[in-house]
Amino acid sequence: MRIGIVCHPSIGGSGLVATELGLGLAKLGHEVHFISSVRPFKLIEDSERLFFHSVEAINYPLFSDPLYTFALTAKIVEVVEQYQLDIVHAHYSIPHSLCAYLAGEITEHKFPTITTIHGTDVTIVGQDKPLYPLNRFSIHKSSKVTTVSKYQRNYIYSHFDKSKTIEVIHNFIDLDVFSPKLADIEMRRKMAKDDEKIVMHASNFRALKNSDTVIRSFYLLLKKVNARLVLLGSGPEVEPIKKLCDKLGILKQVTFMGDVTHVEHYLPNADCIIQPSYRESFSMVLLEAMACSVPTVSSNIDGIPEVVAQGETGFMFDPDDALGMSLAMEQILTEPLTQKRMGEAGRERAAKLFNPQDKILQYLACYRDAIKENTGISRDNIQTTPSPAAKMAATAKGTCQLADIESRDIHQTGIQQTSNEQIALNKETLSKEAFNE
């Protein structure tokens, strides 16, 4: 299959999931074309099955901005026509889904569009008054719509389009990349002393991540446990956090690591992860921690209960329950058996419910259904032919052995369902006045 993936290139969230999906699809023999402003950080280089197409900004003196939406639309048209893509998968509705729709209206090479809603594209960006009708339009016009949690699906139904069938395909995690085996004493010593327990928080440090509760719960924890708070990431809330830590007298117990590219090298060294977000459509950080066998303490909102098993892999509380979270962290950090049990249960849950194999096959089934509905061609008969990209890759290597990068010709045949692609059917809250003492 020839697949276009339009995504943000950022380290976290939708861009990370899109990149991992593309890498997984390529391993199964599909040809994947990434379209983005910058190369996704995990897409190291092009290969026989993986290609990156940069969206160049349109700079014209008449306009004050680089017209990214138009540039992206033009790039999708270009890639679709040059490589005869079978389908375009837009991660994040605005502007990616809308641009894919416009590209489909422009090009003579027709293709279905899959839109994956990741969260903030409908809960924050999508609710912006000028963008709301554009968001609703792009969702409605997509051939298929998927989202990352049942919570998010219900939210879309409530706020956008009740007539559109939305499939839930949870995010997934590579347990070889995120593993407790990657715990490293030298890396740990860069963050904390040997006798300190590590509480870790990873964030873009915006208001919705509720960093205030992270600090307040850690302040309470320090009264009982010798611990260090390690903060991964950057954002507008970092400076206010430093001021609050200084006010509470705990600044020396907090390590600010800033932006890190490979979070999988940091998480396994944590004893506990805290994520008290006000909004989370899914929470990749919690899933990554579970895969690393690290217990979690988090809020109980939105899609988080679909990821965390309460009392088994982690503890969940109301987002502002600093006391509850501090007591939960104390239990994890002072009871080795509890920490071990919850860590192992988290990794087991990640492997069972959020493994890449099942989720990638779900996406492939979604693609096939969309192509069948869009073209009327049966998905049970296929004759594979080398694509333009396959020919170019073979020529560059000085070989004509194209069998490894064959893909379908949608105009001549249909789509093959391979036999091995079976889809997995899948207390009290402490008042903040207490800190004014």
Side-chain angles (χ1 to χ4, degrees):
M1 203 180 297
R2 303 166 195 162
I3 303 161
I5 292 182
V6 186
C7 66
H8 292 297
S10 55
I11 291 175
S14 64
L16 177 61
V17 172
T19 306
E20 292 291 352
L21 172 61
L23 294 172
L25 290 166
K27 287 180 181 178
L28 292 178
H30 302 281
E31 183 181 297
V32 182
H33 295 261
F34 285 91
I35 304 172
S36 185
S37 57
V38 179
R39 180 185 290 271
F41 83 101
K42 284 205 170 184
L43 185 66
I44 307 301
E45 58 184 12
D46 289 1
S47 68
E48 291 181 341
R49 296 191 182 95
L50 287 167
F51 302 86
F52 170 66
H53 307 276
S54 177
V55 180
E56 297 86 10
I58 298 173
N59 293 299
Y60 192 72
L62 183 62
F63 303 104
S64 59
D65 62 77
L67 302 178
Y68 181 75
T69 297
F70 295 111
L72 176 57
T73 301
K75 181 58 70 171
I76 295 172
V77 171
E78 175 189 319
V79 175
V80 163
E81 292 182 345
Q82 182 176 354
Y83 298 96
Q84 299 291 288
L85 298 188
D86 297 326
I87 198 162
V88 173
H89 188 170
H91 290 260
Y92 216 80
S93 60
I94 296 293
H96 300 157
S97 178
L98 185 60
C99 291
Y101 169 77
L102 291 173
E105 291 294 295
I106 294 168
T107 179
E108 293 183 0
H109 179 78
K110 299 306 178 184
F111 60 89
T113 298
I114 306 294
T115 296
T116 293
I117 305 296
H118 285 269
T120 54
D121 41 350
V122 293
T123 57
I124 299 178
V125 177
Q127 290 298 326
D128 187 85
K129 189 173 182 180
L131 293 179
Y132 179 84
L134 302 180
N135 219 334
R136 183 176 57 189
F137 178 85
S138 67
I139 292 171
H140 181 72
K141 289 296 183 179
S142 299
S143 305
K144 294 283 185 181
V145 178
T146 73
T147 194
V148 298
S149 65
K150 294 176 183 177
Y151 160 80
Q152 199 62 49
R153 179 178 60 186
N154 293 337
Y155 184 94
I156 299 168
Y157 283 152
S158 299
H159 293 82
F160 287 90
D161 195 336
K162 293 183 175 65
S163 64
K164 194 76 178 180
T165 299
I166 299 172
E167 181 179 359
V168 174
I169 303 179
H170 285 122
N171 290 333
F172 53 89
I173 192 76
D174 188 334
L175 272 77
D176 291 327
V177 175
F178 288 87
S179 169
K181 294 180 181 179
L182 292 178
D184 177 74
I185 187 62
E186 295 305 319
M187 172 64 77
R188 193 185 192 285
R189 285 171 176 168
K190 291 179 181 179
M191 299 182 287
K193 298 175 183 178
D194 288 352
D195 62 344
E196 294 175 326
K197 297 291 186 179
I198 293 181
V199 174
M200 194 173 287
H201 172 68
S203 175
N204 59 14
F205 293 96
R206 284 165 171 76
L208 285 178
K209 296 301 181 181
N210 191 17
S211 304
D212 187 78
T213 295
V214 173
I215 302 306
R216 295 178 183 278
S217 60
F218 182 69
Y219 168 79
L220 292 173
L221 176 68
L222 283 178
K223 298 178 182 296
K224 302 289 185 64
V225 180
N226 181 24
R228 176 164 293 274
L229 177 62
V230 175
L231 302 177
L232 306 182
S234 63
E237 295 293 312
V238 169
E239 288 306 314
I241 285 174
K242 289 181 179 179
K243 291 180 180 178
L244 179 58
C245 290
D246 189 43
K247 178 181 178 181
L248 296 174
I250 62 171
L251 189 57
K252 291 183 178 180
Q253 293 301 118
V254 182
T255 299
F256 294 82
M257 297 300 297
D259 287 325
V260 297
T261 302
H262 295 283
V263 70
E264 63 270 21
H265 295 307
Y266 295 83
L267 288 174
N269 297 290
D271 296 292
C272 176
I273 297 293
I274 179 170
Q275 299 290 130
S277 306
Y278 286 124
R279 302 299 300 267
E280 285 288 356
S281 61
F282 183 86
S283 187
M284 278 301 297
V285 173
L286 293 176
L287 178 56
E288 290 165 352
M290 288 161 54
C292 294
S293 295
V294 178
T296 64
V297 175
S298 70
S299 52
N300 57 4
I301 45 81
D302 300 353
I304 289 178
E306 296 176 48
V307 182
V308 177
Q310 170 69 357
E312 297 178 19
T313 69
F315 295 108
M316 294 181 287
F317 301 88
D318 289 339
D320 291 322
D321 189 354
L323 177 59
M325 292 187 192
S326 70
L327 292 173
M329 289 190 293
E330 179 186 349
Q331 181 178 349
I332 292 169
L333 300 181
T334 59
E335 298 178 8
L337 291 179
T338 298
Q339 181 178 348
K340 184 175 185 294
R341 172 180 58 80
M342 298 185 83
E344 291 175 349
R347 186 166 172 84
E348 182 180 346
R349 181 175 173 84
K352 181 179 180 180
L353 300 181
F354 307 106
N355 67 81
Q357 294 78 16
D358 290 347
K359 303 309 175 187
I360 291 171
L361 292 184
Q362 281 184 267
Y363 276 117
L364 280 171
C366 183
Y367 294 169
R368 292 193 172 93
D369 287 342
I371 292 171
K372 181 179 179 181
E373 292 173 11
N374 189 65
T375 63
I377 298 173
S378 171
R379 67 181 186 177
D380 297 322
N381 302 304
I382 287 201
Q383 176 182 347
T384 58
T385 58
S387 74
K391 294 176 181 177
M392 291 170 62
T395 301
K397 284 179 168 282
T399 176
C400 294
Q401 297 175 351
L402 300 175
D404 288 340
I405 39 179
E406 290 178 340
S407 54
R408 301 170 304 152
D409 188 334
I410 223 39
H411 297 291
Q412 297 177 9
T413 58
I415 304 166
Q416 183 176 1
Q417 176 97 25
T418 55
S419 60
N420 66 334
E421 291 180 351
Q422 302 295 321
I423 304 169
L425 295 176
N426 321 28
K427 57 157 217 165
E428 292 180 347
T429 299
L430 184 67
S431 171
K432 291 186 178 182
E433 282 77 8
F435 293 93
N436 293 327
E437 58 182 87

